[in-house]
Amino acid sequence: MAKNLVIVESPAKSSTIEKYLGPEYKVVATYGHIRDLPKSKMGVDIEHGFQPEYIIPDKSKNHIAIIKKEAKSAGQVYLATDPDREGEAIAWHVAEMIGHKDAKRITFHEITKGAIEKAIQEPGKLNEDLFNAQQARRVLDRLVGYELSPVLWKKVQPSLSAGRVQSVAVRLIVERERKIQDHKSTSFYKTTALFEAGDTTLKAELNKKFSSRQEAEDFLNACKDAKFDIRDLVKKPAKKSPSAPFTTSTLQQEAARKLGFSVARTMSVAQKLYEAGHITYMRTDSVNLSETAIAASENEIVKSFGKEYSRPTRYVTKSKGAQEAHEAIHPTVMNVREAGSDLSEEKLYSLIWKRTLASQMAEARLERTTVTITVSGRKEEFIAEGEVIQFDGFLKVYIESLDDDENDTGKEGLLPVLKVGQQLKYNEIFATQRFTLHPPRYTEASLVKKMEELGIGRPSTYAPTISTIQKRNYIVKESREGEIRKYDYLLLKNGKFSYETKEETTGAEKQKLFPTDVGMLVTDFLVDNFDEVMNYGFTASVEEEFDEVAEGKLKWDKMIGKFYGPFHSAIENVSTKESGAPAPKEGRNLGVDPATGKEVFARIGRYGPMVQIGKAEDEEKPKFASLQKDQSIFTITFEEAMDLFKLPRVVGQYEDKDVVANVGRFGPYVSHDGLFASISKDSGDDPMTIELDRAIELIEEKRKANKERILKIFSENPEAQVLKGRWGAFLKVGKNNYRIPKDTDIEKFTYEDVLKIMSDGPSQKGRRTRFSKKKG
């Protein structure tokens, strides 16, 4: 009897599903999309209703062959790709490729025995509207990228590319950076008092901030002989409600905040949890839980914490056009507290389990107390606040594990027993100079949150969008060191006033998104010339139209046509303009070099941001200098630019050869006789000022490191060396690198072994991919 065939996307699901369905079923995987638009041309027939020209990528041909072979001998064919638009498109393409008109569509939001068996028992049909929504997105994105990118090559810089959603995401980061650059910080003085209250200390903040040091000093001096009385004591009941279960966006945000995961890592780990049957489908903008999940949560809460902690809640999705799935992300079995095959999976699962359980628990009941303290002879008052948990409710699931920093109500801020009219004695009162902060830079998670708020993109697009704009070098994600800043600290203690200047580090950034100069340049050009495509509201309205296509309310080709007409006209308009770039070809004019009388420009060159003295048409060739890593063509000053031309700088001589300090693509370094030693940022050394003794120290450190890196040299050919690499030992002969088998005993490794390895051919010259760890 012929086996029934079940076709899924990921091979990781195959064995689990096959086990649930039994010997009458065979499960095979597509390994993602099996058809796509060609890379070498547009692949869209604009004249005939924007019909796409699909091809089978080389990587999919073997998978298709296997699926076709299995389908020929199969009884019933089930298309069990993911329950979203991408999954529907894959199912549609598979059905067309295998020619199985009777293939049935099944979907499930969790890989459990019950869900799989139910899906098989209640199969449906392919959803053409859902497929067309995905097709519309793919075609529209190809049209934008294919027509817009050549304009960028012509007007801005070769090899650039643009994307409908990606370019708008970059705009968010660029606009935030410009606000940061325009921010003018002002200072103020925040005043705090520590009062004696029985056996404890009561901390209170003044209800006014002073704008000058003199005002703060005057206030502290006035407090020397002042009396401090409790004027008011207000106790109010308060409630704290749990958050809704996770959507894709909120999971990405929480995993970033609590676990330090990137958006891509969160999705990768969640995918593994889903495929292992631990959680429901992880691409969703719905906060809804099924009745089964609500009931299972209620059972677990009552069993673990008691009936009073249970409050079954049905959350309503507020996201426009929520369509990627019909349920929030939650564990498939609520009484399983721990799951996952590694630490990352365990941490993410725990986050999901707690959030789901908490969403079905009672509110926490608190008592909030506000104490108002008068200062005799002054209008200002001190305010102390605290709260007490009277019933922990949903907080219990977090407080018990002591690992949550959002739901930490009640752990701090407890007030001593106080009463109105009570006089207090201060221990100390201090005023600290603070500074207004610029808007925060985006993290990956906060960018996702902003995109969701604006309606840009959908759950399946957030992670790839952020990955793409980083790969294109329009933005970089990095940490940056802050700088030392001095601030005033005024103290009143034991009736005596004192003042000192303290230091703090300010401006440090951890894993934030920064626009590159290229990203800013491209954004300026696109906003100036393609305002509609770059408009947040317009981009969101396109997403809503995709939703209408998915709901069968709008024909996909008409939707594309409505967009394409004005867009193509704008392309032709800008292409025929003589100008249109956001800045002259020379770049930003910084001033005139006093030595030559030539103009100095900051611009993007072939190898990145640079400064240039003179123009290309001058009789004498222009001089060039690359910008340092933390410099920008938009903010670099004339003085900073001219300093760059002081490099490379001959520091002195060592062993009868020049020691040179310079800045390269990967930062500052010193060089000597073909050896390059990096100058670490943490060292405090500067290529402009580094002295010979320090440069020699760096050179000798690099020599020592290089020597320790050499594991073996062969007398038959001194150029043949076994070196210690990041991923283990490898063979280097001249400029070529060769892989050495993992378990090789280097002590017994001979020159004959070298020749044998060389006969297999080297890795690609200048590339490290042969020695890189494979990414999962």
Side-chain angles (χ1 to χ4, degrees):
M1 184 179 173
K3 286 190 175 187
N4 296 316
L5 181 65
V6 179
I7 300 168
V8 297
E9 285 182 43
S10 163
K13 302 175 189 174
S14 303
S15 58
T16 306
I17 294 174
E18 210 166 69
K19 180 182 71 177
Y20 289 149
L21 292 175
E24 295 175 9
Y25 291 83
K26 172 79 175 176
V27 184
V28 295
T30 67
Y31 289 79
H33 282 276
I34 58 162
R35 292 204 301 189
D36 199 3
L37 300 177
K39 289 184 178 179
S40 56
K41 57 180 179 177
M42 181 183 284
V44 177
D45 189 345
I46 296 168
E47 303 298 322
H48 296 89
F50 304 99
Q51 284 301 312
E53 177 195 327
Y54 291 116
I55 63 159
I56 302 172
D58 289 339
K59 67 181 180 66
S60 297
K61 287 178 180 175
N62 187 47
H63 306 313
I64 280 292
I66 292 170
I67 292 169
K68 280 184 174 180
K69 181 183 174 184
E70 294 290 346
K72 274 184 183 178
S73 59
Q76 180 62 56
V77 175
Y78 296 93
L79 304 168
T81 48
D82 287 346
D84 57 13
R85 295 174 189 176
E86 296 294 323
E88 200 69 25
I90 294 169
W92 194 274
H93 287 306
V94 169
E96 285 201 340
M97 293 296 299
I98 64 177
H100 236 274
K101 294 180 181 177
D102 298 327
K104 294 182 178 180
R105 177 74 167 116
I106 62 172
T107 59
F108 39 83
H109 295 274
E110 57 186 60
I111 302 174
T112 58
K113 186 175 176 62
I116 303 299
E117 288 177 345
K118 186 180 178 184
I120 290 286
Q121 290 162 11
E122 301 174 2
K125 294 180 179 179
L126 283 166
N127 185 328
E128 187 173 3
D129 294 327
L130 213 55
F131 163 62
N132 282 334
Q134 188 277 339
Q135 184 166 252
R137 181 189 291 279
R138 187 72 188 93
V139 168
L140 190 58
D141 287 347
R142 172 54 65 95
L143 290 170
V144 171
Y146 206 86
E147 295 206 356
L148 198 49
S149 296
V151 180
L152 292 177
W153 304 343
K154 181 180 177 183
K155 299 290 185 179
V156 183
Q157 186 187 5
S159 302
L160 296 175
S161 59
R164 186 181 57 84
V165 177
Q166 293 96 318
S167 296
V168 176
V170 175
R171 181 182 183 179
L172 282 168
I173 295 163
V174 168
E175 288 183 342
R176 178 61 57 88
E177 193 67 25
R178 292 256 162 81
K179 286 181 181 177
I180 291 169
Q181 290 172 357
D182 293 342
H183 175 75
K184 305 295 181 190
S185 183
T186 57
S187 72
F188 60 91
Y189 290 78
K190 180 181 174 182
T191 308
T192 306
L194 301 179
F195 295 104
E196 290 181 12
D199 296 331
T200 60
T201 299
L202 177 66
K203 184 177 181 180
E205 303 286 347
L206 196 68
N207 63 358
K208 179 183 178 181
K209 293 180 175 66
F210 299 114
S211 57
S212 70
R213 176 182 153 186
Q214 188 59 53
E215 284 181 291
E217 188 173 334
D218 289 346
F219 176 78
L220 260 61
N221 280 319
C223 288
K224 281 181 181 178
D225 300 315
K227 292 181 179 180
F228 304 93
D229 296 309
I230 295 178
R231 179 180 66 78
D232 199 10
L233 187 67
V234 179
K235 292 186 178 183
K236 285 184 179 179
K239 290 180 180 179
K240 188 174 176 68
S241 300
S243 299
F246 280 131
T247 62
T248 301
S249 166
T250 54
L251 177 63
Q252 289 169 347
Q253 291 165 44
E254 278 296 86
R257 189 173 73 88
K258 292 182 181 174
L259 307 179
F261 285 7
S262 68
V263 166
R265 185 181 177 194
T266 297
M267 295 311 291
S268 174
V269 175
Q271 177 91 28
K272 290 173 184 173
L273 287 170
Y274 166 66
E275 289 173 349
H278 298 312
I279 64 169
T280 54
Y281 193 56
M282 64 286 157
R283 292 190 183 92
T284 174
D285 42 18
S286 170
V287 293
N288 178 50
L289 290 178
S290 67
E291 293 302 318
T292 304
I294 291 173
S297 298
E298 183 178 9
N299 288 337
E300 180 63 19
I301 292 163
V302 172
K303 177 184 160 189
S304 300
F305 308 119
K307 193 172 182 181
E308 70 275 20
Y309 283 91
S310 177
R311 196 195 68 172
T313 306
R314 286 153 188 83
Y315 292 87
V316 178
T317 301
K318 295 178 182 177
S319 173
K320 279 188 180 180
Q323 43 71 35
E324 296 291 348
H326 302 297
E327 276 200 79
I329 304 165
H330 66 82
T332 55
V333 184
M334 282 311 303
N335 61 8
V336 175
R337 295 191 172 207
E338 297 177 356
S341 60
D342 60 31
L343 191 59
S344 294
E345 290 180 31
E346 289 171 6
K347 285 181 175 180
L348 193 66
Y349 179 83
S350 177
L351 205 66
I352 294 167
W353 183 84
K354 288 174 187 171
R355 178 73 162 239
T356 307
L357 207 68
S359 76
Q360 299 302 305
M361 293 175 72
E363 296 173 322
R365 294 195 300 273
L366 318 167
E367 183 182 75
R368 286 204 176 117
T369 304
T370 303
V371 184
T372 305
I373 304 163
T374 60
V375 183
S376 61
R378 300 288 300 200
K379 292 180 180 180
E380 299 90 353
E381 294 178 319
F382 283 101
I383 308 293
E385 294 180 330
E387 55 188 25
V388 177
I389 296 176
Q390 295 188 319
F391 174 65
D392 51 6
F394 78 95
L395 295 176
K396 193 172 187 70
V397 78
Y398 294 109
I399 293 172
E400 280 196 346
S401 57
L402 297 177
D403 64 355
D404 186 80
D405 56 357
E406 177 189 27
N407 301 302
D408 58 355
T409 308
K411 294 179 198 173
E412 293 180 357
L414 297 177
L415 298 179
V417 177
L418 301 166
K419 60 183 179 180
V420 174
Q422 182 178 343
Q423 195 171 98
L424 300 173
K425 181 182 178 184
Y426 75 87
N427 285 331
E428 58 183 63
I429 304 173
F430 53 91
T432 308
Q433 186 183 20
R434 300 289 78 187
F435 300 83
T436 54
L437 301 174
H438 61 65
R441 288 185 172 88
Y442 286 110
T443 61
E444 285 188 354
S446 63
L447 180 62
V448 166
K449 185 178 181 182
K450 186 66 177 178
M451 289 172 68
E452 186 181 41
E453 285 173 5
L454 295 172
I456 299 168
R458 288 293 183 263
S460 60
T461 65
Y462 298 138
T465 295
I466 291 172
S467 295
T468 298
I469 58 180
Q470 289 182 66
K471 284 175 187 171
R472 288 177 177 170
N473 198 37
Y474 290 156
I475 66 167
V476 292
K477 182 175 77 170
E478 60 187 27
S479 298
R480 294 186 181 177
E481 295 175 2
E483 54 187 32
I484 301 298
R485 175 175 65 191
K486 295 182 184 300
Y487 68 94
D488 297 333
Y489 181 77
L490 291 71
L491 175 66
L492 178 65
K493 190 169 185 177
N494 298 327
K496 293 182 179 179
F497 171 80
S498 63
Y499 160 80
E500 63 178 308
T501 301
K502 293 188 174 185
E503 290 185 345
E504 63 183 353
T505 300
T506 182
E509 303 277 14
K510 186 177 180 182
Q511 295 298 291
K512 295 292 181 67
L513 300 178
F514 297 83
T516 63
D517 282 351
V518 172
M520 295 180 85
L521 209 60
V522 168
T523 297
D524 289 346
F525 174 77
L526 292 176
V527 169
D528 286 346
N529 296 282
F530 300 95
D531 180 60
E532 190 170 34
V533 176
M534 295 293 284
N535 182 278
Y536 301 129
F538 177 74
T539 306
S541 71
V542 171
E543 290 292 347
E544 289 172 9
E545 289 183 345
F546 287 145
D547 296 339
E548 289 180 30
V549 172
E551 293 162 11
K553 297 176 181 176
L554 183 63
K555 295 292 182 185
W556 77 272
D557 54 338
K558 288 184 178 177
M559 180 229 162
I560 301 286
K562 177 184 165 188
F563 174 95
Y564 183 72
F567 170 71
H568 185 68
S569 297
I571 290 283
E572 289 184 326
N573 225 10
V574 175
S575 297
T576 54
K577 279 185 190 175
E578 286 191 17
S579 62
K585 192 175 179 182
E586 291 82 10
R588 178 171 156 249
N589 193 318
L590 300 177
V592 176
D593 175 24
T596 63
K598 294 182 178 181
E599 290 178 291
V600 181
F601 302 95
R603 70 180 186 87
I604 299 290
R606 186 177 175 187
Y607 300 106
M610 55 180 279
V611 287
Q612 171 182 321
I613 299 176
K615 297 182 181 180
E617 57 267 27
D618 291 348
E619 188 176 332
E620 188 180 346
K621 284 185 178 181
K623 289 182 180 179
F624 305 98
S626 296
L627 266 62
Q628 294 187 35
K629 191 177 179 182
D630 56 351
Q631 292 178 324
S632 165
I633 61 171
F634 293 97
T635 57
I636 191 171
T637 64
F638 175 78
E639 290 74 20
E640 290 167 341
M642 296 310 293
D643 278 344
L644 294 173
F645 289 98
K646 296 175 183 176
L647 298 175
R649 178 175 74 90
V650 177
V651 180
Q653 284 215 325
Y654 179 51
E655 297 174 347
D656 297 325
K657 291 186 178 175
D658 285 345
V659 175
V660 177
N662 202 358
V663 175
R665 185 180 173 191
F666 301 106
Y669 65 88
V670 290
S671 64
H672 174 262
D673 194 19
L675 181 142
F676 296 82
S678 295
I679 298 175
S680 167
K681 241 184 176 183
D682 299 333
S683 67
D685 296 317
D686 187 319
M688 294 288 186
T689 57
I690 192 168
E691 295 183 354
L692 182 60
D693 287 347
R694 175 59 180 151
I696 292 171
E697 190 179 325
L698 293 176
I699 289 162
E700 288 299 335
E701 285 174 4
K702 187 63 186 282
R703 281 181 177 177
K704 184 183 176 187
N706 285 352
K707 191 175 180 182
E708 289 172 352
R709 190 173 175 234
I710 299 171
L711 301 177
K712 197 162 196 172
I713 299 177
F714 300 89
S715 56
E716 296 91 336
N717 180 1
E719 282 200 342
Q721 300 177 348
V722 177
L723 302 177
K724 183 164 63 176
R726 186 178 179 186
W727 311 119
F730 67 95
L731 175 66
K732 182 178 179 69
V733 183
K735 293 183 179 180
N736 289 325
N737 296 338
Y738 303 81
R739 187 191 295 274
I740 293 176
K742 191 175 179 181
D743 298 325
T744 302
D745 186 343
I746 302 302
E747 291 295 321
K748 297 177 182 177
F749 195 64
T750 65
Y751 190 64
E752 286 70 26
D753 295 322
V754 170
L755 296 174
K756 187 178 178 183
I757 288 176
M758 287 173 66
S759 66
D760 293 334
S763 63
Q764 289 183 1
K765 188 174 172 181
R767 289 176 66 89
R768 299 266 177 178
T769 51
R770 287 286 292 268
F771 305 106
S772 297
K773 279 186 176 175
K774 287 185 178 180
K775 293 181 180 177

